[in-house]
Amino acid sequence: MAGPNHGALGSTFKIVRILQAISLIAIIGMAANFISQMVSHNNAPSDVLVGTLSVTCIAVLYCAITYILYIDNILPFLVITGMDGMLLIALIVVAAVVGKPLSYLNCQVIGSSSVSESTYQLGLELKKSFSKEGSKVQYSNWIGANKVTCYEMKAIWGLSIALCILFAFSAICSVCLWRRSRAVPPKSMADGKDPRKGGPIELNHIAGFELSSWMLPLLAEAASKTDLLKYQKDCASMASWNESIPIDSYYADGSDDSISRMSIASSISQYRLENGRRYHAYRDGQYWAPNDEQARSVDVISHHAFLLTMNDKLLLAPLKNPRRALDIGCGIGTWAVDFAEAYPDTATIGTDLSPIQPDNRPPNLSFEIDDCCSDWVYPNNHFDYIHVRQMYGSVADWPKFYKECYDHLAPGGYLEQAELNPVPRCDDGSIEPGDAMDECGKLAVSCGEAFGKSLLVEEFMQDEIKKAGFTEVVKMTYKWPIGAWSNDPRLKELGRWNLLHWNEGIEGWTLRFFTKYLGVSDISTHCHS
């Protein structure tokens, strides 16, 4: 029930909503008691009391619904601001109408009588005073009334005033939350600093893979890009949901590098088998990881680990009604499917070298066999959002890749990249030179150098992205434990999944690298793994 992370502003909104609900329920209880007592004495209750009861019942339901919508992060803040304003006006009327006669009551001079009689008498006198503009309630009329009953009626007035203040406050909070949801990330975060704390973003002593998740907004004003081109059809070259994945007719000889989009061909499914593992056939050798069933399991595990890391969020970019999105290196398509379902009005494309994506997918999602290292065939300024994840060791020319991303994003679009650093690290220095984990990191660096595509893109991508022209580059760094040794419940769960990630993935991460580029036999590779 933590809800979205809106900082102190969000916490204030939740606290105010809870106080509003408590105050309203108290008013409902007291007002209903007065009305029932009047009805039991065959006296029609005051219209003001009935109106107060009706307004407060509606307001309690409203508070409950908006609180739930806020927790689920789907609260329309601008609409809520208007609704809070309307309830504020209603409560001001209640406070003024009920409070005017009650302000003259002195409960100290009221005598004692039964609760039933005093409640009825109180209601009767209030009804009389409501019908007289500006008249005072005479103290003599309250002889024999119960002090407790008098104080309860005054409490309704006091709570009405308090609610006026609370709804004014919640309306202001809603406006601020709406503005915050539309705002781009602060510049201070581009330097790796948390603006809420004024210091570096840190996590406490967690060993394992470092995950750097990036939110890279491209501002129309700062980017100096051309106006978005208009097209008669959105993503005209996309395959519809019930069509086969398209593959290039030029694939037969693999020589045409200028066209990377393809129409399906039977040869694309003729995978290469090496050392008992299956690899992609299109652009054979351009990627190092297998694409068989075991690799698919590793993809699912890593996707779940990312969701745990990002509190069940698919992305960090503050998207608003994106028209087109691109997922580069989509793998089995798990993220792309989730994104397409979350944004049903967004035409989404997932690309990869392997046709291993599901046939059962949302109608707004298509998959294409594509080499992102070739020249892109999409129109410039085409996408509102580009997603890149776990592409380390996949791109030889990162500056060219980021330039393609920049050119194909519409003004105001976002590039978001999340990468793993394959070099294990430990904050307490327990990984010593010569240890197995230390050797693992050195081998990862050597593999990337031999392959010609660095596995350490996480360490330099921020600078390269800025050089490509992106502005307001935000870096968020997380650490993944290897194993369930953390005492933090969330990190313990993440550690379990990361250990499974290592156990299932280590063979596929090393087998082609070791046997083809480091000259190690497959048996020795399995021993290393």
Side-chain angles (χ1 to χ4, degrees), residues 31-175:
N33 178 57
F34 298 142
I35 291 174
S36 66
Q37 292 294 336
M38 292 177 187
V39 172
S40 67
H41 286 79
N42 298 319
N43 187 58
S46 167
D47 294 336
V48 175
L49 283 178
V50 176
T52 300
L53 185 62
S54 301
V55 170
T56 49
C57 287
I58 294 172
V60 167
L61 184 61
Y62 167 80
C63 288
I65 292 174
T66 54
Y67 188 88
I68 293 171
L69 294 178
Y70 176 84
I71 292 297
D72 287 340
N73 202 22
I74 55 175
L75 185 67
F77 292 118
L78 197 59
V79 175
I80 294 307
T81 301
M83 296 294 291
D84 279 11
M86 293 174 62
L87 278 172
L88 174 61
I89 295 172
L91 288 165
I92 290 174
V93 172
V94 170
V97 174
V98 175
K100 191 171 184 178
L102 286 176
S103 63
Y104 299 110
L105 290 179
N106 185 351
C107 298
Q108 294 296 328
V109 301
I110 296 178
S112 301
S113 65
S114 69
V115 175
S116 178
E117 292 175 351
S118 59
T119 303
Y120 172 72
Q121 182 181 6
L122 179 59
L124 186 62
E125 294 302 324
L126 281 175
K127 186 175 181 182
K128 292 178 181 178
S129 66
F130 289 152
S131 64
K132 299 177 182 178
E133 288 272 332
S135 65
K136 294 184 178 180
V137 177
Q138 300 299 320
Y139 295 147
S140 58
N141 294 331
W142 294 93
I143 296 174
N146 188 286
K147 290 182 181 180
V148 175
T149 307
C150 179
Y151 282 126
E152 285 182 351
M153 280 301 292
K154 279 209 165 187
I156 290 183
W157 175 42
L159 288 172
S160 299
I161 296 174
L163 283 168
C164 291
I165 298 172
L166 289 173
F167 272 98
F169 205 76
S170 63
I172 294 172
C173 283
S174 298
V175 172

Side-chain angles (χ1 to χ4, degrees), residues 455-512:
L455 302 182
L456 304 179
V457 59
E458 177 269 329
E459 297 181 359
F460 59 78
M461 65 181 182
Q462 183 177 23
D463 292 336
E464 294 299 333
I465 288 167
K466 289 180 178 179
K467 290 177 183 178
F470 288 92
T471 61
E472 301 291 342
V473 178
V474 177
K475 178 180 180 180
M476 301 294 291
T477 302
Y478 306 91
K479 298 179 182 180
W480 285 10
I482 303 176
W485 51 263
S486 174
N487 58 10
D488 181 279
R490 186 183 66 84
L491 293 175
K492 182 180 289 293
E493 179 70 8
L494 179 58
R496 290 192 182 99
W497 283 94
N498 193 28
L499 180 60
L500 181 63
H501 187 233
W502 273 69
N503 288 337
E504 293 293 317
I506 190 68
E507 181 188 84
W509 300 338
T510 57
L511 199 53
R512 173 172 273 192

